[in-house]
Amino acid sequence: MSIQDQLPEQLRKRLAEDPLFGAKADLLHDGRFGEQWLAITEHEVSVWQQDHTQLLKLKISELKDARAVGAVGGGTLLADTGKGPVVLARYTSAQSSIFGFAAKLLGAMAKKEERPVVSERDFPRYCQNCGNPLSEGTQICQICTRNGKVAARMLRYTKPYKLQLAATAVLLIATTLVELVPPYLTKVLIDDVLGPKDVGSTLMLVILGLGATMLLMSVMQTIRGLIGVWVGSKLMGDLRKDVYSSLMRLSLAFFDRRQTSQFIGRVNSDSEAMRQFMTDGVVFMSAEMLRVVAIFIIMFGLDWQLTLYAILPVPVMVAVSMTIWPKIGRRWYHQWRSIFRLNTLVGDSLQGIRVVKAFGRERDEMARYNEANVELVRRNIRMEGLWSFMFPAFAFIAGLGTLLIWYNGGNKVLSGEIQLGVLMALISYLGMLFGPLQWISQMISWASNAMAAAHRVFEIMDTPSEVPDVRNPEPIGVIKGDVAFDSVTYGYEKHHPVLKNVSLHVKAGEMVGLVGHSGAGKSTFINLICRFYDTDEGAILIDGTDLRSISQVDLRKQIGVVLQETFLFDGTIAENIAYSKPDATPLEIMRAAKIANAHDFIVRLPDGYDTRVGERGHKLSGGEKQRVAIARAIIHDPRILILDEATASVDTETERQIQEAISRLVKGRTTFAIAHRLSTLRNADRLVVLERGKIVEVGTHEQLLEKEDGVYRKLVDAQKELSKIKGVEG
Amino acid sequence: MAAADDKYDIRMFAPDDVYFSRGSGGVFQGVIDGTTYDELEVYRAFPFLYTTQYISVRNTKGEELGIIPDIAELYEESAKELEKELQLRYFIPRVTRVDSVKQKSGLWMWELQTHLGSTRMVMRNLHEHLQYPGGGRVILMDISGKRCEIADWQALDAHSRKQLEEVL
Ligand SMILES: Nc1ncnc2c1ncn2[C@@H]1O[C@H](COP(=O)(O)OP(=O)(O)O)[C@@H](O)[C@H]1O
Ligand SMILES: [Mg+2]
């Protein structure tokens, strides 16, 4: 796609030169929706209104700079001129990227710098077919591809169980047919035995027949039930596995934007809803369908005229079902959302239970829960209430049909047109017929619930990872550990960059300390090295290879991280240390712990290395957890080591111990360390000072201290001040 | 008030401290405490709860100059410019009519009329893209980050309410 393409022909003709850039803004200058055109040529910037009248023209030579100022929901492209800033265009956030590029281009032209190269990411992308926006990192339009084939996709899960399901189907057909025998036998009983008072052996035979069918039915139902349970559980397992693995596959950015406790519910209840539909739902539905057809055939055979009366209520039922279908879907969704809110609430307050207790907010939490709970109760009542209405309503409509048959059939029996047994059989069949019809409403409920669940589940599965692996990743083997940042710009929300144009080359084995105020972008810097996120601009190279062309598994093998918030999994200390190397020998585990200065305290624990940590079990202190985490990084034996405020939450003595551990650990590895206590970084070969996402100073501790007005020096001075007050730390 | 404790206190502007206007280039500017700024930025401290109160005024470096307690207290001309700037900075069109809400293969399409013109929003689902700050208010966010607001959905016309009942 070329950028000039964006400009209409008529406007292009009016330009004195070929445009370098053209774009349509989706807001007017006063902020209303509308269209305006912006064109940049070698010497001018022009803006036209929707009716192609010129609104603005500036000479590039008048410009000093240009900026894209982001706002909530949109932004403004500003040009700085000698006479103050001028608004060039306003736009909604859909167009932030393209005008961000315009600002860069104009800025570079004004300052006579090298012009930025347009990249595909600068353009909002739309589907070629339907014109709807495409999501990040994908070429596939959701609207065009996923055209409602959710059900088919869901049923694909039953594929591995074809045989079992086929068996169920056969049994089903058999049971259905056998079920139809007793009413017929009843007819025989009434008309041929009881009616004519035949005292022969027929009575016994008919009774035996009835008994045999009953037994056969029970056996077949049991077998069918067992197969159903088996297939159902398997299916459920498959679904859960798929949802969970799609969750694991997703990038951090996905979880940043969402509350994680919601997924617990999704993995379990959504797959349950889908399973219910697939096994009970589909099996039931086919069984009932079959039964309906069979019953009608027999009934027609018995007396076709009377049967017609039985069919009368059916269209009514179908019509009712059709009208309430959307309503049910909606109510399911409401109910789901209430449950979802409730789960989130519980997840949240339990995760923060310490804070809740510390501030004595239990009552308020209970009140909050109660409110959500009441809401769910209300939704439940509405949902279930609909059923309590539906079932009787269906039964009543069905009953009307029965009445019709009683009346007309009764007359026919009285006038001797048919025998009593036939009427009785018809009535029995009719009773069996309305069973399935009532099931229709249950089916509707299952199906709509399952569809909604499937949508949510497939949404997770279809979300592309924002840090995709390339198709043919470069084999890197064991790396040396050179790390280079090449004009890297990154923002968690695009167009609000947190790191701006950062370039840095770190040689293998070097230890770099990152310092700066909180929020300067230090953690972001290392997140990028781990490739938790991809850069917006520029590239990160490891041993000269772009991070993006290395497979993430290979990459993470080479990187070890110790973060401020240490997370230990539920398990023993040994398991936690061996997390990245499950086959580690006990000796290796102890060695790693020894290097991390953790061995001594672990052995002193009553359960030693088998002490359970994590959610339940033994709680370690902050410093102890930290050292376990360091041991975990050591056993990983990474070429690149990342320490993000690994010693922030410990006392000076523990810090010294950790410090010691770290200095042993960093030998021969490329290390990035972030620490609030600047003294922690005294071993660093170089210090990199970040301020508001930019590198402002680089050098050794001594070099940076020499800078009179340096940022680093100020930080050091401020900390000296602080430690004087506290009277600790020499 | 001593200059020293200014740094740790919130500076509240009185109506006489500030004067806002719009530059020839269409940029929001003003005179604050006698200093002229040819570009100013404004932020709502509580964009959901107090839309016309507690407005933070900042220079282009993002440093806070002070807070306007309530736009209604300002002189008319300043208040008008400030309101206009807030509208531009917080581009959240107010929905006047909901033409349709449709679900097309997993995506929700909203056709809306707002006080700033008509627009379309695309959402992946409803639970992540709708916010209910309270009352009948609904904030809509689409997948590109565009936002719209429904001040009180029960106050909309019958057609819109019918559309909304399906989804809210
Ligand atoms: N997951 C995230 N989503 C959005 N913004 C983030 C996220 N993490 C950090 N930020 C923002 O990025 C900026 C830099 O954060 P960070 O790199 O963590 O700073 P620090 O230097 O303290 O480690 C901060 O303004 C922070 O609010
Ligand atoms: Mg940090």
Side-chain angles (χ1 to χ4, degrees):
Chain A
M1 177 168 62
S2 140
I3 21 179
Q4 286 92 331
D5 285 352
Q6 309 244 328
L7 213 56
E9 197 54 43
Q10 289 159 291
L11 292 178
R12 195 184 314 186
K13 282 204 202 104
R14 290 206 229 154
L15 293 170
E17 310 156 293
D18 269 349
L20 297 171
F21 177 90
K24 184 173 77 175
D26 54 2
L27 294 183
L28 307 178
H29 265 58
D30 60 4
R32 281 181 302 127
F33 284 108
E35 284 177 9
Q36 287 195 347
W37 293 93
L38 173 89
I40 301 171
T41 67
E42 202 58 55
H43 297 101
E44 279 174 352
V45 189
S46 320
V47 180
W48 292 283
Q49 283 172 325
Q50 197 158 5
D51 56 6
H52 295 186
T53 53
Q54 183 121 24
L55 190 73
L56 204 86
K57 188 184 257 187
L58 285 176
K59 290 209 162 38
I60 299 286
S61 55
E62 289 175 62
L63 297 188
K64 287 197 294 201
D65 199 357
R67 289 169 291 152
V69 182
V72 178
T76 306
L77 178 63
L78 281 183
D80 286 309
T81 67
K83 288 184 250 124
V86 175
V87 174
L88 291 180
R90 298 193 193 272
Y91 46 85
T92 66
S93 6
Q95 288 181 310
S96 303
S97 38
I98 193 159
F99 283 96
F101 176 78
K104 265 181 266 159
L105 177 67
L106 274 177
M109 288 169 76
K111 289 185 271 183
K112 309 221 161 30
E113 287 169 356
E114 195 186 332
R115 293 182 189 169
V117 194
V118 66
S119 87
E120 210 176 289
R121 274 180 285 168
D122 289 321
F123 289 96
R125 289 164 324 132
Y126 297 96
C127 174
Q128 305 274 323
N129 284 329
C130 59
N132 283 299
L134 289 177
S135 51
E136 199 88 351
T138 171
Q139 294 296 338
I140 306 153
C141 176
Q142 295 205 347
I143 302 179
C144 294
T145 47
R146 283 202 292 161
N147 34 18
K149 295 199 179 125
V150 178
R153 189 166 163 193
M154 189 157 56
L155 290 177
R156 226 175 295 152
Y157 275 92
T158 58
K159 238 184 176 170
Y161 310 108
K162 272 193 301 241
L163 267 183
Q164 286 82 356
L165 285 177
T168 322
V170 171
L171 280 173
L172 205 65
I173 296 172
T175 356
T176 312
L177 297 181
V178 172
E179 263 176 28
L180 298 177
V181 176
Y184 191 81
L185 287 181
T186 318
K187 169 191 168 292
V188 175
L189 196 64
I190 294 176
D191 289 348
D192 300 348
V193 183
L194 300 181
K197 300 224 182 322
D198 175 1
V199 214
S201 56
T202 333
L203 177 64
M204 202 53 210
L205 284 179
V206 172
I207 299 293
L208 278 180
L210 276 173
T213 43
M214 270 161 64
L215 182 67
L216 194 59
M217 252 159 59
S218 307
V219 171
M220 287 197 294
Q221 268 166 355
T222 313
I223 298 176
R224 203 181 83 192
L226 286 176
I227 297 181
V229 169
W230 187 84
V231 171
S233 309
K234 288 271 189 187
L235 263 180
M236 179 90 179
D238 292 352
L239 270 168
R240 274 197 303 252
K241 190 180 103 227
D242 270 19
V243 181
Y244 190 71
S245 37
S246 348
L247 276 176
M248 287 292 115
R249 182 187 52 81
L250 286 167
S251 62
L252 268 189
F254 180 85
F255 296 102
D256 281 351
R257 288 193 290 266
R258 290 167 177 83
Q259 242 161 340
T260 36
S261 36
Q262 61 167 286
F263 293 111
I264 303 166
R266 284 215 194 173
V267 173
N268 293 328
S269 60
D270 284 347
S271 24
E272 166 62 20
M274 286 164 75
R275 183 216 47 94
Q276 194 177 41
F277 172 71
M278 285 189 285
T279 54
D280 303 355
V282 173
V283 169
F284 238 101
M285 181 141 84
S286 14
E288 302 300 321
M289 289 293 215
L290 191 72
R291 194 166 5 164
V292 170
V293 174
I295 290 176
F296 269 118
I297 293 176
I298 297 180
M299 282 176 71
F300 268 98
L302 285 173
D303 188 316
W304 66 269
Q305 283 161 324
L306 285 181
T307 310
L308 286 182
Y309 289 114
I311 300 179
L312 274 180
V314 174
V316 184
M317 288 192 195
V318 172
V320 173
S321 304
M322 293 310 253
T323 43
I324 63 159
W325 165 267
K327 202 179 223 141
I328 291 175
R330 213 155 57 228
R331 292 199 180 171
W332 267 120
Y333 181 70
H334 283 312
Q335 191 177 350
W336 176 80
R337 215 161 52 180
S338 302
I339 296 174
F340 171 87
R341 266 194 55 201
L342 208 62
N343 284 344
T344 321
L345 249 160
V346 175
D348 244 23
S349 48
L350 289 188
Q351 267 172 20
I353 190 72
R354 266 154 224 282
V355 183
V356 174
K357 295 246 174 237
F359 286 96
R361 304 293 288 180
E362 292 95 335
R363 271 171 194 285
D364 305 72
E365 288 301 322
M366 276 182 317
R368 235 153 54 100
Y369 182 83
N370 213 21
E371 205 176 297
N373 196 14
V374 168
E375 171 73 13
L376 177 56
V377 169
R378 205 168 60 86
R379 297 280 181 215
N380 260 333
I381 292 176
R382 275 177 67 117
M383 186 74 203
E384 304 299 332
L386 197 61
W387 295 132
S388 353
F389 158 78
M390 285 286 292
F391 273 117
F394 269 49
F396 179 72
I397 299 172
L400 290 182
T402 322
L403 290 184
L404 283 175
I405 294 199
W406 268 120
Y407 181 74
N408 294 296
N411 275 335
K412 278 191 170 185
V413 172
L414 288 180
S415 63
E417 273 174 73
I418 57 168
Q419 283 183 295
L420 175 62
V422 175
L423 178 62
M424 294 311 288
L426 274 177
I427 297 286
S428 315
Y429 282 125
L430 198 62
M432 290 170 79
L433 182 66
F434 287 121
L437 285 181
Q438 283 184 12
W439 277 108
I440 292 181
S441 56
Q442 182 62 53
M443 258 324 284
I444 294 174
S445 152
W446 275 346
S448 60
N449 189 18
M451 287 301 158
H455 263 298
R456 294 189 291 260
V457 164
F458 293 145
E459 184 191 328
I460 296 179
M461 292 189 188
D462 291 343
T463 308
S465 174
E466 281 169 55
V467 285
D469 265 340
V470 288
R471 199 157 306 154
N472 298 309
E474 298 199 18
I476 47 168
V478 174
I479 57 166
K480 284 202 313 237
D482 270 338
V483 177
F485 273 59
D486 183 12
S487 327
V488 168
T489 298
Y490 174 73
Y492 292 94
E493 277 146 80
K494 283 180 115 205
H495 316 294
H496 177 50
V498 172
L499 284 185
K500 295 162 205 154
N501 208 6
V502 169
S503 291
L504 183 72
H505 186 203
V506 179
K507 287 191 291 295
E510 202 178 357
M511 173 170 178
V512 172
L514 293 170
V515 292
H517 293 283
S518 144
K522 305 181 296 289
S523 300
T524 309
F525 187 94
I526 58 164
N527 282 344
L528 290 180
I529 301 179
C530 300
R531 204 175 168 218
F532 290 151
Y533 309 93
D534 264 347
T535 58
D536 290 335
E537 280 164 43
I540 300 172
L541 310 171
I542 287 196
D543 285 2
T545 315
D546 193 323
L547 266 193
R548 275 175 289 224
S549 56
I550 301 174
S551 99
Q552 287 175 57
V553 178
D554 286 355
L555 176 69
R556 306 266 158 77
K557 267 193 200 139
Q558 309 285 336
I559 295 183
V561 254
V562 182
L563 300 176
Q564 181 180 0
E565 316 108 47
T566 347
F567 186 83
L568 298 184
F569 292 96
D570 188 30
T572 66
I573 292 185
E575 283 164 358
N576 266 290
I577 293 179
Y579 184 66
S580 60
K581 194 184 177 189
D583 57 348
T585 63
L587 187 62
E588 281 177 297
I589 293 177
M590 283 194 291
R591 272 202 187 120
K594 184 82 187 172
I595 299 177
N597 251 337
H599 179 68
D600 291 331
F601 91 80
I602 297 175
V603 171
R604 256 183 272 130
L605 292 171
D607 294 346
Y609 279 92
D610 294 329
T611 310
R612 280 191 85 83
V613 289
E615 265 282 68
R616 294 162 277 140
H618 193 94
K619 290 274 178 206
L620 300 179
S621 79
E624 289 166 343
K625 267 198 227 165
Q626 205 65 262
R627 280 177 280 169
V628 172
I630 293 174
R632 179 162 68 189
I634 292 172
I635 212 161
H636 192 45
D637 193 22
R639 298 302 308 148
I640 298 173
L641 182 65
I642 289 171
L643 307 163
D644 188 354
E645 309 200 356
T647 57
S649 57
V650 298
D651 58 275
T652 349
E653 172 53 21
T654 319
E655 195 203 343
R656 201 189 47 74
Q657 291 178 2
I658 294 177
Q659 189 66 48
E660 224 179 80
I662 288 176
S663 61
R664 266 174 273 174
L665 182 56
V666 301
K667 277 198 200 97
R669 305 174 210 269
T670 314
T671 307
F672 293 87
I674 302 176
H676 262 136
R677 261 177 237 152
L678 299 174
S679 54
T680 317
L681 299 175
R682 60 184 160 231
N683 301 337
D685 298 309
R686 270 196 296 171
L687 294 174
V688 174
V689 185
L690 281 171
E691 196 167 68
R692 292 187 186 203
K694 286 191 179 137
I695 295 187
V696 286
E697 289 171 12
V698 182
T700 62
H701 177 70
E702 287 75 25
Q703 286 171 346
L704 293 184
L705 270 191
E706 274 165 27
K707 286 198 188 167
E708 260 319 305
D709 220 17
V711 180
Y712 182 70
R713 184 168 169 158
K714 276 192 210 146
L715 282 170
V716 172
D717 287 347
Q719 282 204 350
K720 272 192 196 145
E721 197 81 359
L722 199 65
S723 48
K724 244 185 263 161
I725 298 171
K726 286 198 290 186
V728 289
E729 289 184 82
Chain B
M1 206 192 298
D5 46 34
D6 258 0
K7 210 171 148 195
Y8 296 103
D9 197 9
I10 297 261
R11 169 77 205 275
M12 288 288 197
F13 286 131
D16 287 318
D17 297 337
V18 294
Y19 167 74
F20 298 123
S21 59
R22 198 158 288 275
S24 53
V27 173
F28 184 69
Q29 50 180 225
V31 182
I32 291 180
D33 290 334
T35 317
T36 308
Y37 294 87
D38 64 2
E39 190 177 346
L40 285 170
E41 290 179 1
V42 289
Y43 296 83
R44 283 185 177 131
F46 303 93
F48 288 160
L49 289 179
Y50 307 110
T51 46
T52 62
Q53 282 156 280
Y54 307 108
I55 310 296
S56 169
V57 182
R58 290 169 184 244
N59 64 17
T60 43
K61 276 191 246 148
E63 293 159 347
E64 184 169 278
L65 305 170
I67 294 233
I68 311 265
D70 192 344
I71 298 182
E73 289 170 8
L74 293 182
Y75 292 115
E76 199 186 325
E77 197 182 338
S78 290
K80 221 180 87 209
E81 271 323 323
L82 179 56
E83 250 163 22
K84 190 167 159 202
E85 183 61 17
L86 281 173
Q87 275 222 359
L88 293 173
R89 239 200 84 74
Y90 290 84
F91 184 75
I92 310 180
R94 223 174 29 252
V95 174
T96 50
R97 182 185 156 87
V98 180
D99 287 337
S100 72
V101 184
K102 281 195 206 106
Q103 190 180 23
K104 254 202 248 159
S105 42
L107 287 192
W108 293 85
M109 307 284 180
W110 297 62
E111 301 290 345
L112 302 170
Q113 301 292 335
T114 72
H115 77 299
L116 298 175
S118 63
T119 187
R120 159 195 259 200
M121 299 192 97
V122 182
M123 299 178 186
R124 202 158 285 137
N125 55 47
L126 297 175
H127 51 277
E128 282 170 4
H129 292 269
L130 299 186
Q131 273 190 34
Y132 307 89
R137 257 175 97 195
V138 188
I139 313 269
L140 319 168
M141 266 166 289
D142 89 342
I143 50 179
S144 68
K146 192 162 73 181
R147 297 184 184 200
C148 284
E149 175 199 45
I150 301 175
D152 181 359
W153 72 274
Q154 261 133 1
L156 291 177
D157 60 294
H159 175 81
S160 308
R161 277 207 312 275
K162 188 154 171 281
Q163 304 298 313
L164 288 173
E165 262 160 23
E166 311 253 322
V167 289
L168 295 183

